[in-house]
Amino acid sequence: MDDKEKFEMEFVIQASPSLLYQYLSTPSGLSEWFADNVNSRGELFTFIWDGSEEQAKLLSKKSGERVKFRWLVDEEDGASFYFEMRIQVDEITKDVSLMITDFAEEDEVEEAKMLWDNQISSLKQVLGST
C-alpha cells in the first residue's frame, strides 16, 4: 500500500510564527482555513468538509515550529504516510515560510498540490497575509 509519492511545497506567509502556529495546531485555528469544522479529542482530530469526516492522529508537534498528522485510513492500512506543516524563518531576512510535506497517488500529485494552494490561500486571507 506504500505507493504514494511524497511532495513538498513552500509558501511565504506574512505573519508571526507564533500566530501562524495557532492556525496550524488548534481545532479552532484549523477550522478557519483547513476544514469546515475541526474537533479534537486528545491526539485524534476530526476534520469535517461538506458533511464528510476524516480523522487524523496528531503524530508530533513542536510549539511554534511544526505539526504532523497521519490520516487514520492510512494508519489502518499500516501505511507510513503523513502530512506535516512546518514553519521556517529565514535567519537573515526573517521571512516566514510554511513548508508542507504530504503524500499522494502518483496521478493525483498535481491535484493535491492545487488543493494545498487553495487551502494556503484561505489561510493567508484569514491571516491578512496576501
Side-chain angles (χ1 to χ4, degrees), residues 15 18 26 40 50 58 69 77 94 108 111 118:
S18 57
T26 64
S40 72
D50 296 327
L58 178 64
F69 292 96
D77 290 343
K94 300 298 181 205
E108 294 174 0
E111 189 179 320
N118 289 336

Side-chain angles (χ1 to χ4, degrees), residues 39 45-49 52-56 71-74:
N39 300 310
F45 282 65
T46 303
F47 297 89
I48 302 160
W49 293 274
S52 72
E53 288 186 8
E54 287 285 334
Q55 290 191 311
W71 296 112
L72 282 193
V73 69
D74 287 334

Side-chain angles (χ1 to χ4, degrees), residues 53-66:
E53 288 186 8
E54 287 285 334
Q55 290 191 311
K57 182 178 180 182
L58 178 64
L59 297 178
S60 65
K61 69 179 180 175
K62 186 168 185 183
S63 187
E65 284 186 30
R66 62 182 167 78

Side-chain angles (χ1 to χ4, degrees), residues 80-93:
S80 57
F81 308 121
Y82 61 88
F83 67 99
E84 181 179 56
M85 298 177 280
R86 194 172 74 250
I87 299 167
Q88 191 169 296
V89 181
D90 185 290
E91 287 183 27
I92 297 165
T93 64

